Amino acid sequence: MADEQTLSVDATLNTLRAIGEATRLRLIALLAESELTVKDATEILRQSQPRISRHLKLLAEAGLILRFPEGGWVYYRLADGPAGDIARDLVARISTEDPILIGDQERFKAIRKAKAEEAAAYFASKALTWDQERSLHAADAEVEKAMLAVLGDKPFHTFLDLGTGTGRLLELLADHYVSALGIDASHDMLAVARANLSRAGLGKAQVRYGDIYALNVPPRSFDVVAIHQVLHFLDDPARALAEAARALRPGGRLLIIDFAPHELEFLRESHAHRRLGFGHDQMERWLETLDLDLEQVTDLKSQENDDTKLTVTLWLAQDRRVVTDLPVADPTREVA
């Protein structure tokens, strides 16, 4: 019987048969570099939507690619594991001078450029609101420096960023993790994040549409989970924390970054804030009910010491379950 890192003879033949067709090989070559939608693939390969969908279905049935629904779209990505490794190895051995693949790459780059420009336009449209809020607290660079200090230099295997927004944390912590997943409920923000990750060449990080109250990830699958400036937008922060704790591996760490209690009521009225900050005692009670030990608390006050400025707080908690040698779950796998 084949283990999780190998394939049986029949499975290997099935994988090779699935790849062994011109359109599917071209799709594999594209997916080895980045995720795609059916619309992307039809524009790049210049084939009909039904034909592309059929080929993607066959590749998915062979275990070569994964599909991730996101609203009205479905994103496809090359799978991890032995079948995906065979596909990547075959792609690596194809001549880069092949005229068909060169054409595919040129059209692919054009699509990525258009998406990056669209994402930049969306980001610019929101910049005024974000800049106003940023001016109320410590500089982003200072907050990011504190986050890196809190997590330390020790690398970790899997990272989950809840409310990933522009994907900034996926970029910031790229040297620390082996694989990462960002979750967000905004399709527009996910477009920005994908453009940013593509520009940074971060193939080991993915972003997905998802509900922070009902995470579609395997339990006990992440070494570090971060919730950065998200809880104050939520009606039920405790429920989101419970979902984050469920995703932690035994001994895993949860990093929360949010505002300390304040009285800036206009943030509720004009910036969609549901909560005006969180106190240390409140956060500790929430974490205690989830069997998480609060390891460290860091308050970052604005350089300007007045009543209109916000304090950013970092809470680092650790799952108190005993660390085991359980295999690391695939964090990209969808669960019911």
Side-chain angles (χ1 to χ4, degrees), residues 57 79 85 106 181 208 308 327:
K57 181 175 183 290
D85 291 341
E106 288 176 351
L181 178 65
R208 295 280 170 259
T308 66

Side-chain angles (χ1 to χ4, degrees), residues 43-61:
E43 291 182 19
I44 295 169
L45 274 62
R46 296 178 175 175
Q47 297 183 19
S48 68
Q49 183 270 329
R51 179 179 173 83
I52 292 296
S53 295
R54 175 177 170 276
H55 285 301
L56 289 170
K57 181 175 183 290
L58 291 172
L59 290 171
E61 289 175 347

Side-chain angles (χ1 to χ4, degrees), residues 108-229:
F108 188 20
K109 288 177 182 177
I111 287 175
R112 293 170 89 171
K113 184 180 180 214
K115 288 184 176 180
E117 290 172 352
E118 182 181 343
Y122 172 79
F123 192 84
S125 71
K126 301 294 184 182
L128 183 61
T129 300
W130 290 335
D131 286 345
Q132 181 183 9
E133 187 171 309
R134 286 194 186 100
S135 69
L136 298 174
H137 58 75
D140 289 345
E142 184 181 351
V143 176
E144 291 178 357
K145 181 179 178 181
M147 292 171 59
L148 292 171
V150 166
L151 288 174
D153 296 329
K154 186 178 179 181
F156 41 87
H157 194 276
T158 49
F159 173 54
L160 176 63
D161 183 20
L162 299 180
T164 194
T166 64
R168 174 56 189 161
L169 291 195
L170 300 175
E171 293 186 69
L172 179 68
L173 300 175
D175 292 337
H176 292 67
Y177 59 75
V178 176
S179 64
L181 178 65
I183 301 291
D184 205 284
S186 167
H187 296 294
D188 290 323
M189 293 306 297
L190 288 172
V192 174
R194 286 192 175 96
N196 289 340
L197 294 177
S198 175
R199 186 181 62 251
L202 276 179
K204 64 180 181 178
Q206 305 175 36
V207 293
R208 295 280 170 259
Y209 178 82
D211 181 355
I212 198 170
Y213 291 137
L215 296 176
N216 198 16
V217 299
R220 299 163 57 105
S221 53
F222 292 91
D223 298 306
V224 174
V225 176
I227 310 178
H228 181 211
Q229 298 290 17

Side-chain angles (χ1 to χ4, degrees), residues 210-215 231 233-241 243:
D211 181 355
I212 198 170
Y213 291 137
L215 296 176
L231 293 183
F233 289 112
L234 305 180
D235 288 316
D236 192 353
R239 183 178 167 195
L241 290 174
E243 277 294 280

